Amino acid sequence: MSTSGIQQSAEQRSKPVSKETLPAICARNINFAFGEGELRKQILFDVSFDVAGGEIVLLTGPSGSGKTTLLTLIGALRQIREGELTVLSRPLHGASVVDLIATRRDIGFIFQQHNLLEFLTARQNVELVFELHPEITAGEARRKSLQILGEVGLSDRTEYLPSRLSGGQKQRVAVARALAASPRLILADEPTAALDGQTGRDVVNLLQKLARDSGSPVLMVTHDSRILDIADRIIHIEDGRIVPGV
């Protein structure tokens, strides 16, 4: 894609946000550590940033810099201990378990490991996400699951068990599962790591389309230099701190 094309697509996605509109993600002075006492190891230090609706933001940095930990905090998979974090207009600092679960329902997760259930087919693994959405009928869940599997190039593998899929195919099922219910926010941890160049590009194009068409922002951890062109912004983290100007 040319530089002008990148700028144009970014301009199409980025819309002015009124003062009354909260960012999809608002993080302020986030600190996080594992362990207690002498075993305490701090992972994040005073992390602050916003992500607006429809924005695609990449988190880059060396392994062990805290990117995945930050993603799990934003995804309501860990409890905020210090700082303030609001996701999809829900404060997560001090949130109850019920509030955390409610937030997770609106988020599509793509993990480094595909986390598929080995005894379910590709279609059934995707359909699992609709258990969090009782308003979707079983028939509609099946239709949506088949459609998104087709969009990631697996229309001929929908009834395969994970044991019959390659690593890249399993990751595509995981991507399909994350996108199937049209989430309000996508959190992706190295979603293209197990994919070849063309399949990786197809996946990020899907994420880009979701952000552009529905206004759902994407926050993605990546080391893949092949996909940097889709970003509206890149946030670089080293040793648990955001590095400005990188």
Side-chain angles (χ1 to χ4, degrees), residues 43 61-67 239-240:
I43 305 298
S63 297
S65 57
K67 303 184 300 298
D239 298 323

Side-chain angles (χ1 to χ4, degrees), residues 44 59-72 221-223 237:
L44 298 173
L59 287 176
T60 64
S63 297
S65 57
K67 303 184 300 298
T68 296
T69 298
L70 179 58
L71 215 62
T72 59
V221 170
T222 188
H223 290 98
I237 299 181

Side-chain angles (χ1 to χ4, degrees), residues 18-36:
S18 69
K19 293 181 179 179
E20 293 76 25
T21 303
L22 288 173
I25 301 171
C26 181
R28 294 291 180 269
N29 306 117
I30 300 296
N31 291 282
F32 189 82
F34 291 108
E36 301 291 342

Side-chain angles (χ1 to χ4, degrees), residues 76-241:
L77 298 174
R78 298 186 191 275
Q79 186 73 258
I80 292 290
R81 298 176 183 174
E82 186 177 340
E84 296 184 358
L85 178 60
T86 301
V87 175
L88 301 174
S89 301
R90 295 188 183 99
L92 299 189
H93 39 284
S96 67
V97 172
V98 172
D99 291 335
L100 294 175
I101 292 172
T103 301
R104 289 178 210 146
R105 288 195 180 104
D106 288 331
I107 298 174
F109 297 91
I110 306 172
F111 300 101
Q112 285 188 38
Q113 302 299 321
H114 48 77
N115 294 334
L116 301 182
L117 294 180
E118 295 294 329
F119 55 88
L120 297 180
T121 66
R123 172 183 56 80
Q124 290 168 331
N125 267 284
V126 175
E127 287 179 359
L128 276 178
V129 74
F130 292 103
E131 292 189 0
L132 296 174
H133 299 273
E135 72 280 5
I136 302 294
T137 66
E140 183 68 0
R142 183 186 180 96
R143 185 191 68 78
K144 287 177 176 288
S145 298
L146 291 173
Q147 178 182 339
I148 195 66
L149 283 167
E151 290 183 19
V152 298
L154 292 176
S155 56
D156 60 343
R157 297 288 190 274
T158 61
E159 302 308 314
Y160 281 38
L161 292 171
S163 60
R164 298 182 62 197
L165 299 174
S166 69
Q169 289 170 338
K170 291 175 184 178
Q171 184 67 345
R172 280 187 272 169
V173 175
V175 170
R177 180 180 57 195
L179 300 183
S182 302
R184 295 173 58 199
L185 168 66
I186 287 286
L187 300 178
D189 193 354
E190 299 282 3
T192 63
L195 304 178
D196 61 64
Q198 184 55 55
T199 305
R201 171 55 60 178
D202 291 343
V203 165
V204 297
N205 284 345
L206 271 176
L207 297 178
Q208 189 177 42
K209 186 176 187 298
L210 180 70
R212 181 169 58 246
D213 293 350
S214 68
S216 301
V218 177
L219 182 62
M220 184 190 311
V221 170
T222 188
H223 290 98
D224 191 347
S225 60
R226 300 170 301 178
I227 64 171
L228 298 182
D229 62 304
I230 73 161
D232 293 310
R233 260 188 312 135
I234 296 175
I235 297 174
H236 189 75
I237 299 181
E238 290 189 18
D239 298 323
R241 295 178 170 86

